[in-house]
Amino acid sequence: MPHSNAKTHRGSREAGRRELISRSLQSAQHCLEDQDFGTAYAHYLLVLSLAPELKATVKETFQFTLFKWAEELDSLARIQDLFNCYEQALELYPNDEVICNSMGEHLFRMGFRDEAAGYFHKAVKLNPDFADAKENFYRVANWLVERWHFIMLNDTKRNLTYLKAIENVVRSGCKSVLDIGTGTGILSIFAKKAGAPYVYACELSKTMYELARDVVAANNMGSEIKLFHLKSLDIEIPKHIPERVSLVVTETVDAGLFGEGIVESLIHAWEHLLLQPK
């Protein structure tokens, strides 16, 4: 008899869950008809928390509701609420390129271009054929990737000079290398090709960090070069790298020498991250 009562109780709970889901879906639909997008969004959150198996079924309607509610929040300058909604949505649909792209669009309009690029990049990686995300990523990249990157990358004489210098130092005994402000990752790749067993690189720009990851992976060095989305000032031993490195390389020698704190970064690397000469 106790076993039978337990089964009856579970059956009642399941029936109650199904009833709540059904009522919430109906309420969400009514709210959408009344253009009460905030309440509709709350109903869909409840439904998806109770019935994750319905994610595929309600996905498109949930997206529509999210985007309409986000537009209202944006117009009301409720920015934190807007971001909270997208965070909730991405917890439910972490690999949804449409939601990632929409989040990026909001960030871009608010001036958070580096963060926006990260979401556009993720959307493109999730769906390489997603035209809107690709267009958005290229647009924000034009803001974030300085033109001199392209000039330098196509300067063969300059690149060969860097390569030769790094080869000479690595082959003379430097075993570990830290590339500060790695950009596209070219100096890290040079160091690895020269034979350095341990290569680390840091990049503050989220866009350039993601680009460096792609470039390194395309050169089949994804597991051989350790990339950090950090300032060099924030790199800690042994949290990020096991010990001091024997060589620091950097290419941030332009007007940024004074404007971007590279002097402090190099001093920090020398004092804390670079092996001291005996």
Side-chain angles (χ1 to χ4, degrees):
M1 184 67 73
H3 180 68
S4 176
N5 289 339
K7 287 182 63 176
T8 301
H9 180 63
R10 285 196 298 270
S12 298
R13 287 181 59 187
E14 178 59 22
R17 185 184 76 93
R18 289 198 300 266
E19 176 66 18
L20 181 55
I21 292 168
S22 176
R23 286 180 177 275
S24 292
L25 285 171
Q26 292 175 10
S27 296
Q29 189 57 46
H30 291 319
C31 289
L32 287 178
E33 292 170 1
D34 294 335
Q35 297 190 350
D36 182 359
F37 301 113
T39 306
Y41 177 75
H43 280 298
Y44 279 119
L45 287 181
L46 175 61
V47 168
L48 291 171
S49 69
L50 292 172
E53 67 274 13
L54 293 179
K55 283 183 181 180
T57 304
V58 304
K59 180 178 177 179
E60 289 188 11
T61 311
F62 176 80
Q63 288 175 343
F64 172 81
T65 306
L66 168 67
F67 300 155
K68 286 295 186 180
W69 179 224
E71 287 176 8
E72 282 193 26
L73 292 172
D74 194 4
S75 68
L76 296 169
R78 292 172 56 183
I79 306 306
Q80 190 56 56
D81 288 336
L82 184 153
F83 287 152
N84 289 342
C85 286
Y86 273 98
E87 287 175 2
Q88 291 167 337
L90 287 170
E91 285 180 7
L92 291 167
Y93 297 95
N95 296 317
D96 189 288
E97 69 273 20
V98 179
I99 294 176
C100 286
N101 183 64
S102 180
M103 176 64 158
E105 289 176 337
H106 280 287
L107 286 165
F108 184 78
R109 284 196 296 270
M110 294 173 191
F112 300 107
R113 291 169 182 158
D114 207 17
E115 292 82 356
Y119 281 97
F120 293 145
H121 183 263
K122 181 179 179 180
V124 172
K125 295 203 77 170
L126 288 168
N127 182 1
D129 297 323
F130 189 5
D132 286 350
K134 286 198 291 187
E135 181 180 345
N136 284 331
F137 181 69
Y138 294 144
R139 177 175 54 148
V140 75
N142 284 332
W143 286 92
L144 295 172
V145 181
E146 300 289 349
R147 294 301 179 190
W148 48 261
H149 274 290
F150 303 106
I151 297 171
M152 290 194 303
L153 287 171
N154 287 283
D155 187 339
T156 304
K157 181 179 179 180
R158 171 188 159 282
N159 292 337
L160 289 175
T161 301
Y162 268 105
L163 175 60
K164 188 66 176 177
I166 291 171
E167 284 178 342
N168 289 339
V169 179
V170 169
R171 289 171 184 174
S172 70
C174 287
K175 300 297 185 183
S176 53
V177 180
L178 172 64
D179 180 6
I180 296 177
T182 191
T184 59
I186 187 170
L187 298 188
S188 296
I189 292 171
F190 285 171
K192 199 64 198 177
K193 285 185 174 180
Y198 309 104
V199 180
Y200 311 98
C202 60
E203 175 57 54
L204 182 59
S205 164
K206 178 68 172 174
T207 303
M208 296 307 299
Y209 166 76
E210 295 288 354
L211 178 60
R213 286 182 60 186
D214 288 346
V215 172
V216 167
N219 282 272
N220 299 315
M221 295 182 182
S223 61
E224 300 179 62
I225 297 174
K226 182 67 174 177
L227 286 164
F228 300 104
H229 179 216
L230 290 171
K231 293 169 62 177
S232 64
L233 294 167
D234 295 331
I235 293 178
E236 300 178 15
I237 298 171
K239 179 179 179 181
H240 300 108
I241 59 178
E243 58 186 6
R244 293 186 177 192
V245 298
S246 50
L247 174 65
V248 170
V249 296
T250 187
E251 206 173 18
T252 45
V253 183
D254 64 345
L257 181 63
F258 302 103
E260 297 179 7
I262 192 62
V263 172
E264 290 84 352
S265 295
L266 291 174
I267 292 173
H268 170 77
W270 175 261
E271 293 179 344
H272 300 287
L273 304 175
L274 185 65
L275 284 171
Q276 301 296 317
K278 295 180 180 179

